[in-house]
Amino acid sequence: MLRMLLLASAALVTIGGQSRAADVVTYEEPVPMVAGIDWSGFYVGVHGGYGWADSDAEFTNGFPGAVDLDLDGFFGGGQVGYNFVFGSGLLLGVEADFSFAEIDGSAVGFNATTVSMDINSMASVRARLGYTMDRFLPYVTAGWAWADVDRFNSFTGQTLSETFDGWTVGAGLEYAINMNWSAGLEYRYTDFGNATFVANNGFNSDVDMDLHTVRFTLNYRF
């Protein structure tokens, strides 16, 4: 009889232990959600880069000897923009920038005439089309551009200033450092068309200019 009671008690203990084990819930640490980069919204930034330009010139009175120039140098400034991002990752944006520049060149032409030209400042308003790939944003851009230019001619003894305007197109790649900051690299070609520098002795110059730029950008997104 005693033996039967001991066996019954052991069976009850075993069943109770299995029941309690079945009630234990295993806890696993939740995996944190990683938020993606949000490229949409307003941003401001700074930039700096290098540019090189070609300018072709001719006198409006038909006199030969107008001097063509190659220019190069550095520029820097700031930009503001706004991005719209659609569900598929397509990005549409608009950006405006302004740069102070020291892109210049000089040459000696007809009758030992020295001519120099200097791009002092430039600006643009452009559309941007890109595709967001988490931290990476490849894009193309196009719009309108302006440049303030000085041209000196030792034959006339004058420094003349004119504003060029034309179209610009380019491409770039932006990388999100974190949720707010991003850095980028951009190339642009700008065709400024032509402008006429009017001298007081009648030797007016029609100058055609195009510009290539490579710039680095640093933006803060709000």
Side-chain angles (χ1 to χ4, degrees), residues 48-52 71-75 103 211-216:
Y50 178 79
W52 61 101
L71 297 79
D72 67 329
F74 295 92
F75 64 93
I103 302 174
L211 173 69
H212 304 263
T213 57
V214 175
R215 70 174 189 169
F216 296 94

Side-chain angles (χ1 to χ4, degrees), residues 153-169:
N153 189 321
S154 64
F155 180 73
T156 64
Q158 291 180 277
T159 299
L160 306 172
S161 298
E162 286 296 334
T163 300
F164 286 75
D165 68 298
W167 54 269
T168 185
V169 63

Side-chain angles (χ1 to χ4, degrees), residues 183-200:
L185 177 66
E186 180 185 272
Y187 164 79
R188 287 214 325 256
Y189 168 78
T190 304
D191 186 340
F192 280 115
N194 65 77
T196 301
F197 292 84
V198 179
N200 59 12

Side-chain angles (χ1 to χ4, degrees), residues 42-47 78-83 91-98 123-129 137 139 141-144 146 168 174 182 186 188 215 217-219:
F42 179 73
Y43 64 89
V44 298
V46 294
H47 65 262
Q79 66 273 355
V80 296
Y82 196 93
N83 292 326
L91 179 143
L92 293 176
V94 60
E95 182 177 288
D97 61 41
F98 177 85
S124 73
V125 176
R126 294 168 286 101
R128 298 205 309 170
L129 173 64
L137 172 63
Y139 65 90
T141 184
W144 206 253
W146 300 262
T168 185
E174 202 167 344
S182 62
E186 180 185 272
R188 287 214 325 256
R215 70 174 189 169
T217 61
L218 182 65
N219 290 323

Side-chain angles (χ1 to χ4, degrees), residues 5 7 12 30 38 60 83 85 111-112 121 134 141 147 173 184 211 216:
L5 289 173
L7 290 173
L12 289 174
D38 183 9
T60 59
N83 292 326
V85 179
N111 198 26
S121 61
D134 192 25
T141 184
L173 178 64
L211 173 69
F216 296 94

